[in-house]
Amino acid sequence: MAEVLANSVYAVALTGAGVSTESGIPDFRGPSGIWTRDPEAERRAYEVYDKFLRNPVEYWMESVKSPIRDAIERAEPNPSHYALAELEKMGILKCIITQNVDNLHQKSGSQNVIDFHGNVSKLRCLKCGRRYPRDMFDIPKILEEGKIPLCECKYPLKSDVVYFNEPIPQDVYTRSVEEVVKCDVMIVAGTSAVVYPAAQLPRIAKNKPLPASVVEINAEPTPLTVEGISDYFIQGKTGEVLPRIVEEVKKFLAKYK
Ligand code: NAD
């Protein structure tokens, strides 16, 4: 399978929560996922976007403290992230589209990363689309003054993270589809591939006039495996499989190129 990547012209990766579990950030639907253990948390997650739209002050009061965000901010990249960053440096991987909001691909050195579901380190305006680094705002102090973070256009800011029922920002969606249309190989790593429209991206890659080869790496089979969207399925931990793939690609390149 390494030769598929080594011979690729434009490889992209789609990653999910599974690539970050080895950094200590739990996924949602894996065997020890947040929602597998606490289904009520899934129900609450579906209410956040609506809360922001109805009452941004209440949204900010409830979200200013978040143990999950604290854990994400403390987390460090693991071998999965570093392997993908290395594939980019080697000129093979052209883009990572990640469903993760944890900023770990960027922390590991990857340059061309699309945060499909946003990024915890940013705030975003739903009206004009501007994004701001979260640390530009002293949010606890702003709330103490009875205010909330506002955009330059005066609209209330929310976290850049895309919540359930919230549309994917148009700029992000367009860029992602452009990358998928260009790719000849797609690595799909650590995602249950059930969250749409992200789960549509491998299907677009597979069903376009010049289909891409889809290389899936996951702890367990997914709908992509079952439906035959994946040309290769490597079962295992991404933190072990991805570095092995990088080594194999290097060996192949040293021998044949
Ligand atoms: P998911 O929880 O639905 O699925 C994760 C998949 O990865 C599961 O199939 C699981 O078995 C597998 N997995 C877990 N650890 C693995 C490992 N070490 N190696 C290989 N596979 C492993 O995650 P999803 O598909 O990304 O969808 C959940 C949504 O939740 C995403 O859209 C994302 O925005 C959000 N989320 C993000 C984070 C994060 O930023 N790190 C964490 C949890 C959830």
Side-chain angles (χ1 to χ4, degrees), residues 1 5 13-15 18-19 22 78-87 93 105 187-190 215-217 234 236-249:
M1 182 258 109
L5 267 173
L14 172 69
T15 65
V19 299
E22 291 164 76
N78 69 58
S80 321
H81 303 102
Y82 288 116
L84 292 174
E86 194 167 355
L87 275 181
L93 192 63
H105 286 300
I187 299 173
V188 181
V215 178
E216 186 184 17
I217 304 147
I234 305 169
K237 289 186 171 184
T238 56
E240 292 167 8
V241 175
L242 283 168
R244 255 191 354 248
I245 290 178
V246 173
E247 287 318 306
E248 292 299 316
V249 171

Side-chain angles (χ1 to χ4, degrees), residues 29 35 41-50 164-165:
R29 299 180 186 79
W35 293 348
E42 178 168 11
R43 191 193 57 73
R44 287 195 302 274
Y46 279 85
E47 293 171 355
V48 187
Y49 182 55
D50 192 46
F164 286 94
N165 297 326

Side-chain angles (χ1 to χ4, degrees), residues 15-23 25-31 33-36 68 72 78 80-81 98-104 116-118 120 161-162 164 189-195 198 216-222 234-241:
T15 65
V19 299
S20 292
T21 53
E22 291 164 76
S23 292
I25 305 173
D27 61 11
F28 281 162
R29 299 180 186 79
I34 299 172
W35 293 348
T36 312
I68 294 180
I72 286 178
N78 69 58
S80 321
H81 303 102
T98 186
Q99 297 170 82
N100 297 342
V101 298
D102 55 28
N103 209 31
L104 291 182
F116 199 76
H117 290 156
V120 282
V161 171
V162 176
F164 286 94
T191 174
S192 58
V194 295
V195 177
E216 186 184 17
I217 304 147
N218 207 60
E220 55 193 351
T222 72
I234 305 169
Q235 188 157 13
K237 289 186 171 184
T238 56
E240 292 167 8
V241 175

